[in-house]
Amino acid sequence: MKKVLISVLILFPTFLSLGQDTLFMDRHEFDSPVQNVFDAEGQIYLKTTVSLYQLQGQNWKKIDQGFDKRYIFYDENFYESDFIPDKDLFDISSMEELIPQRGKFIATAARKGSRFFVASGSMLFEYEIREHYTKSYHNKSIRDIYLNDSLRVISTYSGIYVNDSILLKSPNYSNGPLTNIDSTFYLTWDEISIFFPPDSTRLIQNSTNLFSGKARKIMKWKKNLYTLHTRAFSKVLDEFELLPIHQGLEYLDLEVFQDKLTFSTAEGFLLTWDEMRLDTLAALSTKITDLYPAEDRLFLSTNTGLFVWDHKSQSISQIAEIPNVVMTSLDDFNNLWISTEGGLYILTNESQDLIPVISNVEFNREALLLKDGYLYVGAVDGLYQLNTYEIQKSFIPQELNKLNLAKSGIDSQTFWFILFLSMGLVLGFGYWYLRTKNKSIRQNLPANPNPWTLDNLETLIQESNIQTVESLASALNTNTVQLNRKFKKLGTTPGKFLKKVRIKKAKKLLKEGVSLEVISEKMGYSINLLKKELNI
């Protein structure tokens, strides 16, 4: 299978539930032109002019069966058609950059796991989908992300969007954060405006001047407002008059650390202000783009890597040598997320190696937010959203295994022998285990012969302690594609229903006096998420 060294970020239609990092992998050859590709009960089928094929592993097996019409599809049963129904058409524009010019015609698509097939222009193309993030606000350069229970503001260079439906008339761009101080929203965008949700703003006339330069940040500290401009760090007086505390450098970020205002510069200085005096914590030979305080540590994003200032030891050290770091954040698992002008990375406690999460993307400053287990990261081409729990559960172990394998130095022949042997053992045990488990689960189904009611599904989930959509599909002897279709008829999705049932169980356990820590372990949810869902 030929590999093409290109990675493009796109958002797929609704039947692909996530926007993904997608790689073109191969073009499959057949003895006659390709008509369409489709899935049936979790299996991939392909119709050419003269034959029907089923995907088996890496190969296509021809099915000896005659058909009179041009296309074959599946809906409960196989059926023929002279045309492609609208519901089976695939909008090729969403991945146009990945499809060769000759293939840009009416298309159909099908997916199995990470393998995605597109039939178009009498050809079949295969792609690999890496589904650990979603993407929105395509081709918008994201500069700030503000989220709370009732307000969502996405600031970009080409507009400021409120609750996904309102575009502010003024200002018409932003390059700084929206900050809520004492129930007043301040919007920095070179100037500083007061924002009145959902669609009004008022410019603060004295928020900038010749000495201060362009506004970058405003914050409250010890009952006073302070601003960071490109040319000055200032205290805000009455009538928003700016009193400069430090001038003469190019200022980049301002944070509160160890009960002091701490700010950084393009010249590499890390400075502090305690209302009485200015001190220099560090002087690096690189631009300090962003500051991220975490208890006794202060992470410094710079052009030459990621540094950390340790308050206890009063020392600074470099923890990641990677160019053009723009922002960092710690998640609930103490993983350190690092956004750069060349991609998004993660540094875990299990390894000193940086793990690439999204490659070849330029991320922006002041555009990284962790909220309710999700990481939102702004880039020059859109807003990326990642589920940190899924990353911790699936993505990180997989990537660490790759790193460990590479370090072990196992030769290729030995590796493939071990891999195939392991796969055989795992598949054999898995087949036995799933048959036994499914038999046990099916015995727990309600007496009602129709399991496809919300009450019966809830009983199955509770009694069998099902925690994932994949496990639910297995328990019902189906696949995730069919499961989504069934739930669509019930007016919901498997994921939403599963979460609803599990939160209901969590409420019951809480009433019974079970601690949040124990509920968190049983449910597989973080304590912060449970507090939010249970209104604690």
Side-chain angles (χ1 to χ4, degrees), residues 14 30 41 81 173 193 236 298 319 470 476 483 498 531:
T14 54
F30 297 90
E41 299 292 348
S81 177
Y173 71 92
S193 293
V236 179
L298 181 66
I319 58 174
E470 291 77 10
L476 291 164
L483 190 68
L498 194 56
K531 286 181 177 179

Side-chain angles (χ1 to χ4, degrees), residues 9-283:
L9 300 154
I10 57 178
L11 185 69
F12 282 98
T14 54
F15 72 88
L16 292 173
S17 58
L18 299 171
Q20 297 99 353
D21 188 11
T22 304
L23 302 174
F24 175 79
M25 299 301 292
D26 197 14
R27 181 167 71 89
H28 294 254
E29 303 286 349
F30 297 90
D31 55 3
S32 57
V34 173
Q35 300 302 317
N36 69 291
V37 64
F38 62 97
D39 69 89
E41 299 292 348
Q43 300 299 318
I44 303 296
Y45 291 85
L46 175 96
K47 174 66 168 56
T48 69
T49 304
V50 298
S51 302
L52 179 67
Y53 293 85
Q54 181 183 2
L55 180 66
Q56 295 187 356
Q58 298 299 317
N59 301 314
W60 293 94
K61 180 182 178 182
K62 185 182 294 187
I63 297 176
D64 295 327
Q65 188 172 350
F67 296 96
D68 299 324
K69 296 183 179 180
R70 184 172 185 178
Y71 303 105
I72 302 295
F73 295 97
Y74 184 87
D75 188 2
E76 304 293 339
N77 292 293
F78 291 93
Y79 68 93
E80 300 180 68
S81 177
D82 290 319
F83 61 92
I84 301 177
D86 289 343
K87 66 181 182 63
D88 292 303
L89 285 172
F90 174 65
D91 183 6
I92 215 165
S93 64
S94 62
M95 54 184 301
E96 187 173 1
E97 297 178 30
L98 285 174
I99 295 179
Q101 188 63 39
R102 287 180 57 203
K104 295 176 182 179
F105 296 92
I106 296 173
T108 55
R111 177 179 174 182
K112 185 173 185 180
S114 62
R115 301 179 73 183
F116 183 60
F117 299 91
V118 176
S120 182
S122 300
M123 293 177 286
L124 181 71
F125 307 103
E126 180 181 350
Y127 304 85
E128 178 186 347
I129 296 174
R130 297 174 179 175
E131 55 177 346
H132 49 276
Y133 61 85
T134 62
K135 182 183 172 188
S136 56
Y137 292 91
H138 294 269
N139 300 319
K140 304 291 184 183
S141 186
I142 310 298
R143 295 298 299 157
D144 180 60
I145 306 141
Y146 182 91
L147 299 175
N148 65 25
D149 293 339
S150 59
L151 184 64
R152 173 186 174 99
V153 181
I154 307 299
S155 301
T156 80
Y157 272 133
S158 55
I160 300 172
Y161 298 85
V162 182
N163 294 339
D164 297 325
S165 59
I166 299 171
L167 179 63
L168 291 187
K169 293 182 178 180
S170 177
N172 57 9
Y173 71 92
S174 177
N175 51 26
L178 175 68
T179 308
N180 186 355
I181 301 175
D182 296 334
S183 300
T184 298
F185 289 96
Y186 294 91
L187 181 62
T188 52
W189 55 279
D190 289 344
E191 304 282 344
I192 301 178
S193 293
I194 295 179
F195 170 54
F196 304 94
D199 57 5
S200 300
T201 61
R202 175 173 59 82
L203 178 67
I204 301 175
Q205 295 298 331
N206 298 331
S207 62
T208 62
N209 54 45
L210 288 176
F211 82 78
S212 68
K214 297 179 179 180
R216 287 295 177 259
K217 205 166 192 178
I218 181 171
M219 66 168 47
K220 184 178 181 180
W221 179 66
K222 293 187 176 181
K223 299 183 179 180
N224 293 307
L225 291 180
Y226 291 85
T227 64
L228 192 75
H229 289 67
T230 53
R231 298 177 188 170
F233 162 56
S234 308
K235 183 178 181 179
V236 179
L237 305 180
D238 293 340
E239 304 299 325
F240 221 91
E241 179 185 355
L242 299 178
L243 174 66
I245 296 172
H246 199 283
Q247 294 177 261
L249 301 174
E250 181 183 350
Y251 302 91
L252 296 179
D253 198 18
L254 172 67
E255 293 287 349
V256 176
F257 176 63
Q258 295 298 314
D259 202 33
K260 294 181 181 181
L261 283 179
T262 306
F263 54 103
S264 66
T265 76
E267 295 77 11
F269 290 103
L270 181 64
L271 306 164
T272 64
W273 166 251
D274 64 0
E275 292 188 303
M276 300 296 294
R277 54 177 287 180
L278 283 160
D279 284 318
T280 301
L281 285 187

Side-chain angles (χ1 to χ4, degrees), residues 328-341:
T328 59
S329 182
L330 284 166
D331 65 19
D332 292 341
F333 304 98
N334 208 34
N335 297 316
L336 184 63
W337 291 86
I338 307 171
S339 63
T340 77
E341 293 181 5

Side-chain angles (χ1 to χ4, degrees), residues 229-469:
H229 289 67
T230 53
R231 298 177 188 170
F233 162 56
S234 308
K235 183 178 181 179
V236 179
L237 305 180
D238 293 340
E239 304 299 325
F240 221 91
E241 179 185 355
L242 299 178
L243 174 66
I245 296 172
H246 199 283
Q247 294 177 261
L249 301 174
E250 181 183 350
Y251 302 91
L252 296 179
D253 198 18
L254 172 67
E255 293 287 349
V256 176
F257 176 63
Q258 295 298 314
D259 202 33
K260 294 181 181 181
L261 283 179
T262 306
F263 54 103
S264 66
T265 76
E267 295 77 11
F269 290 103
L270 181 64
L271 306 164
T272 64
W273 166 251
D274 64 0
E275 292 188 303
M276 300 296 294
R277 54 177 287 180
L278 283 160
D279 284 318
T280 301
L281 285 187
L284 303 177
S285 57
T286 182
K287 179 188 293 187
I288 305 176
T289 307
D290 180 79
L291 303 176
Y292 176 69
E295 296 181 350
D296 292 328
R297 295 178 297 168
L298 181 66
F299 293 94
L300 287 65
S301 300
T302 81
N303 279 8
T304 59
L306 183 63
F307 292 78
V308 62
W309 167 265
D310 189 289
H311 178 69
K312 291 181 179 179
S313 64
Q314 293 289 295
S315 63
I316 192 169
S317 59
Q318 186 169 7
I319 58 174
E321 188 174 347
I322 182 173
N324 301 319
V325 179
V326 295
M327 210 164 181
T328 59
S329 182
L330 284 166
D331 65 19
D332 292 341
F333 304 98
N334 208 34
N335 297 316
L336 184 63
W337 291 86
I338 307 171
S339 63
T340 77
E341 293 181 5
L344 180 68
Y345 299 82
I346 192 168
L347 190 61
T348 72
N349 293 323
E350 291 82 7
S351 172
Q352 296 300 311
D353 296 300
L354 282 174
I355 299 175
V357 182
I358 301 175
S359 302
N360 303 318
V361 174
E362 181 180 344
F363 290 95
N364 288 326
R365 290 184 58 228
E366 293 296 345
L368 188 151
L369 174 68
L370 182 69
K371 184 174 176 59
D372 298 332
Y374 285 91
L375 188 77
Y376 302 85
V377 198
V380 297
D381 66 343
L383 176 63
Y384 294 79
Q385 179 179 332
L386 302 95
N387 185 327
T388 59
Y389 299 104
E390 290 299 322
I391 294 286
Q392 176 70 21
K393 182 177 70 175
S394 303
F395 181 80
I396 289 177
Q398 174 183 316
E399 295 302 309
L400 288 178
N401 285 336
K402 290 180 183 178
L403 286 171
N404 292 334
L405 184 63
K407 290 179 179 179
S408 69
I410 298 176
D411 62 84
S412 176
Q413 186 174 359
T414 303
F415 165 71
W416 287 111
F417 173 76
I418 294 174
L419 177 63
F420 286 123
L421 179 61
S422 301
M423 287 177 62
L425 292 172
V426 170
L427 289 173
F429 175 77
Y431 175 74
W432 170 83
Y433 174 76
L434 288 175
R435 283 193 63 186
T436 304
K437 183 179 179 182
N438 287 345
K439 181 178 178 181
S440 173
I441 291 175
R442 285 194 293 272
Q443 288 173 350
N444 290 329
L445 283 173
N448 189 329
N450 176 24
W452 295 104
T453 67
L454 294 180
D455 289 341
N456 287 347
L457 288 166
E458 180 176 347
T459 301
L460 174 62
I461 291 168
Q462 295 281 23
E463 292 184 354
S464 303
N465 194 26
I466 294 173
Q467 296 192 4
T468 67
V469 173

